[in-house]
Amino acid sequence: MNIEGKVAAITGGASGLGRATAEAIIARGGQVAILDLNHELAEQTAKELGNARAYQVNVTDDASVSSAIAQIKADFGAIHINVNCAGIGAAARTVGRDGALDINKFNMIIQVNLVGTFSVLSKCAAVMQDNEPEGEALERGVIVNTASVAAFDGQVGQAAYTASKAGVAGMTLPIARDLSRQGIRVCTIAPGIFDTPMMAGAPEQVRAPLIDMVQYPKRLGIPPEYGMLATHIIENTYLNGETIRLDGGIRMAPK
């Protein structure tokens, strides 16, 4: 898909991977709807980027998602691209000092990372199907989701996070199959350890062992590298139904 003139809805778009993707899409002539729970930060980001609008959304609230998607369509007239970067992470063992993991904590991670991703992408796809088909492939839309290497190499304390991200990776192909007749492609990026706000507060004793697990280059990933891959997926019409690791060859140790 040619990004120029297209409208992209990006969850978690106010910071980190989402913001980097918004920057990459705007640089290619696209327009961006920034969806984020932090409305103040989303407004600030939209103002800084230009050619963008901010929308407050709670991806775990179906009404909130429906309202935001409807407003984006009203404001821009269409949605061509959806990139889902909203997510949370929390480490907790299945059985810890206080007993079994609180099921509400487990459920919250599943709701944000997995159910929230599906809620947004499905509603975006419903709007995309009305787009005029583009090119020889008669393409109407592209969806890029965010999993994690934890989907494959989950560490100690990552049962909930791994389950949520494995779900995102696992649903990629069936959703691509579901949406093939509408001319909508679906791919997932599984990032390794990236230098995002989620990692910014981690002490050096946490960051150093993670970097040591990276094969090459020996560093954390940077958000523009995610944005670069996201835009390539959007532009490469033959990428579909695939989960792509973006991780410097990292394979996570148990802890």
Side-chain angles (χ1 to χ4, degrees), residues 142-159:
V142 184
I143 296 166
V144 180
N145 296 323
T146 306
S148 166
V149 295
F152 316 105
D153 310 333
Q155 293 187 293
V156 167
Q158 286 190 327

Side-chain angles (χ1 to χ4, degrees), residues 35 55 62-79 123-124 127:
L35 289 78
Y55 301 83
D62 201 58
S64 174
V65 174
S66 295
S67 176
I69 299 304
Q71 191 60 53
I72 293 167
K73 184 178 180 182
D75 290 343
F76 289 96
I79 298 173
K123 292 171 180 60
C124 285
V127 175

